[in-house]
Amino acid sequence: MNNTQQINTLLDLNLDDMMRECAAMGIDTIEHSELIEEMYEDGFDSYEVKEMVEVIQDRDHYSYIPSL
């Protein structure tokens, strides 16, 4: 698949497809449904959603450190 085909595939992606992709990547789509919807509307893909979920989880995990 070349870059043009990948871009066209992303452009054709609807919110349900995005939710399925996120679920397949192990993202809790119930807990993060609002984030997924917002990022979908802003044009992000499921890999970027996964990165953001990881950032949020890391931030929550290290919240006891005041400098963060």
Side-chain angles (χ1 to χ4, degrees):
M1 184 179 285
N2 65 35
N3 287 341
T4 304
Q5 289 172 321
Q6 289 175 334
I7 290 170
N8 288 338
T9 301
L10 289 174
L11 291 175
D12 294 337
L13 190 72
N14 64 35
L15 183 56
D16 290 335
D17 295 334
M18 176 76 139
M19 287 289 195
R20 277 192 289 280
E21 283 188 14
C22 289
M25 296 177 77
I27 299 170
D28 182 344
T29 57
I30 295 171
E31 180 180 348
H32 300 290
S33 63
E34 187 174 323
L35 173 68
I36 295 168
E37 186 173 343
E38 287 176 15
M39 291 186 74
Y40 169 79
E41 290 172 358
D42 290 338
F44 292 99
D45 65 19
S46 56
Y47 293 99
E48 292 167 312
V49 172
K50 184 170 177 65
E51 289 176 358
M52 181 57 76
V53 168
E54 290 171 354
V55 166
I56 291 168
Q57 289 172 339
D58 285 347
R59 184 183 63 210
D60 292 344
H61 178 74
Y62 293 106
S63 64
Y64 63 92
I65 302 174
S67 62
L68 298 178

